[in-house]
Amino acid sequence: MSANIKLLHHHFNALHSFDTIRVKPTKVPASSAPMIYSQLSEICLSGFPFHPGSGCSSGISRSLLVGKCVPDSLSSELSSSYSSQPAQLLCNKEPSVITILKGANSFLPQVVIASTVLALIFPPSFKWFTNRYYAPALGFLMFAVGVNSSEKDFLEAFRRPTTILAGYVGQFVVKPLLGYLFGTISMTAFGLPTSLAAGIMLTSCVSGAQLSNYATFLTDPPMAPLSIVMTSLSTATAVLVTPFLSLLLIGKKLPVDVKGMVSNIMQIVITPILTGLILNRIFPRICSAIRPFLPPLSVFVTALCVGAPLAINVESVMSPYGLSVLLLVIAFHASAFISGFAFTGLIFHDLPDVKALQRTLSFETGMQSSLLALALANKFFQDPLVSIPPAISTVIMSLMGFSLVMLWARRNETAVY
């Protein structure tokens, strides 16, 4: 058998060099067809050039190669054997989950913009998606992260306490300082009412946003567990830190429903991720079946999470102070994104994954739970103007964050190729 294969290999090399030469058939028992076919596949395809992007031979079909490499007595049997095999041999290779997600994330900025415009033009299109749906929607995004992660990823994240601390400082030190700065500017330079300044400061005092975890997952998947740990820590301690910062910056005590906060953490972060991890461990086939459907659903859910808060609070956003607050909120978030990226580069410049860490800390610092700030403003402040900055922040944070996702994801793909 080995001699026959060597002879066929010799014939094929001649065929590859001189396309007009016909191979003299070699008598091989028909019963050996399946095994010979497997070996012929390696011989024929190893000598033929591949198109670099397709994963298949450039214009030459597998059956044509088999027909030229084997005797006529076996060609029909091998052809039928080949035609009955699925396409997983070489061609039509399934893209990875990360590839699918990165393909979906390229549409996120456009989706966020479209959701914003639609919410302003026709608010009823999103008003049905009230606050009670927001926690399950974010929970779905966290479930998608859990399905594509493993427990080892989170254990590895806890081994980086310094970076976790850096994310915490960015969330509850750098951002509140920026909030106080722009809140003061709103009163001194823009002459806005104190209630609007309080709304900007309140927005800077809340915990990290779960959308930052999803943005990190789309940009740097290995960093997603670290981002989740940072957000979970800031959310868990927000029951104490947010009222303290609000008292310090705004000068008014802000009560927080501790049980409600804990329940919010469980619904949005912990339970969905654990469910995804457990499902991935126990039923990997089910996870493989549902993964292709997660990207489009995630894009749709993100659109709802962006458009709904704007549609519900459109009257406040379109108020006479709306444009001034819009400019201040844009400057606030831009400063937060830049600060997180720059400070991380200075502190962790010697780490091999510093670029990915910079992007992660930028998302953590630039994106916060604006919906929580909006809920607190509506519940604990009598002046309705306090709710305008958090409502605008929800849209601006998402738009800027997912624009960075598109920019950085493309740069990562360029660096890989």
Side-chain angles (χ1 to χ4, degrees), residues 336-341 344 357-367 404 408:
F337 278 113
I338 294 173
S339 298
F341 190 89
T344 304
L357 191 60
Q358 282 182 281
R359 293 187 286 265
T360 301
L361 268 294
S362 179
F363 286 131
E364 287 300 311
T365 309
M367 304 177 76
L404 288 175
W408 285 335

Side-chain angles (χ1 to χ4, degrees), residues 131 134 138 305 309 313 368-376 390 394 397:
N131 291 338
Y134 202 85
L138 291 178
C305 292
N313 299 275
Q368 78 287 318
S369 184
S370 300
L371 280 183
L372 176 60
L374 181 61
L376 294 175
T394 303
M397 171 196 69

Side-chain angles (χ1 to χ4, degrees), residues 37-232:
Y37 171 78
S38 176
Q39 297 180 5
L40 285 175
S41 300
E42 298 179 3
I43 293 174
C44 293
L45 296 177
S46 64
F48 229 92
F50 278 13
H51 190 279
S54 65
C56 302
S57 56
S58 55
I60 306 298
S61 67
R62 190 76 162 268
S63 58
L64 176 60
L65 291 178
V66 170
K68 287 191 175 185
C69 289
V70 301
D72 296 336
S73 60
L74 284 179
S75 60
S76 59
E77 183 170 352
L78 290 179
S79 297
S80 62
S81 175
Y82 164 69
S83 62
S84 64
Q85 295 191 22
Q88 75 265 19
L89 292 173
L90 277 177
C91 302
N92 301 328
K93 183 179 180 181
E94 288 292 331
S96 65
V97 174
I98 302 303
T99 303
I100 296 174
L101 285 172
K102 291 198 174 199
N105 96 53
S106 63
F107 295 98
L108 279 172
Q110 293 89 333
V111 169
V112 171
I113 294 175
S115 302
T116 302
V117 173
L118 184 60
L120 291 174
I121 296 177
F122 189 63
S125 59
F126 287 99
K127 279 189 174 181
W128 62 271
F129 195 79
T130 58
N131 291 338
R132 63 178 178 176
Y133 297 118
Y134 202 85
L138 291 178
F140 169 77
L141 297 180
M142 293 301 99
F143 171 77
V145 175
V147 167
N148 293 283
S149 304
S150 67
E151 60 275 12
K152 294 181 181 179
D153 298 328
F154 291 92
L155 293 176
E156 189 67 26
F158 279 108
R159 294 175 183 173
R160 308 183 67 170
T162 307
T163 56
I164 294 175
L165 178 61
Y168 196 82
V169 171
Q171 191 64 242
F172 281 137
V173 177
V174 175
K175 183 177 291 182
L177 289 176
L178 292 173
Y180 182 78
L181 172 63
F182 286 100
T184 304
I185 292 175
S186 69
M187 293 184 294
T188 58
F190 287 81
L192 297 180
T194 305
S195 54
L196 289 174
I200 296 175
M201 296 178 187
L202 178 62
T203 302
S204 69
C205 294
V206 294
S207 57
Q210 282 71 36
L211 283 178
S212 67
N213 308 148
Y214 187 58
T216 300
F217 179 59
L218 293 172
T219 308
D220 299 285
M223 288 290 176
L226 181 63
S227 175
I228 292 169
V229 171
M230 291 178 183
T231 302
S232 300

Side-chain angles (χ1 to χ4, degrees), residues 273-333:
I273 291 176
L274 284 179
T275 302
L277 290 173
I278 294 173
L279 191 66
N280 195 21
R281 168 60 71 91
I282 300 178
F283 303 107
R285 292 186 177 181
I286 295 179
C287 291
S288 299
I290 65 176
R291 280 191 186 109
F293 301 97
L294 294 180
L297 289 175
S298 298
V299 171
F300 176 70
V301 169
T302 302
L304 294 176
C305 292
V306 172
L310 182 60
I312 295 172
N313 299 275
V314 66
E315 295 181 0
S316 299
V317 174
M318 300 299 291
S319 66
Y321 305 107
L323 180 59
S324 298
V325 176
L326 175 63
L327 295 176
L328 288 167
V329 170
I330 290 175
F332 164 69
H333 280 293

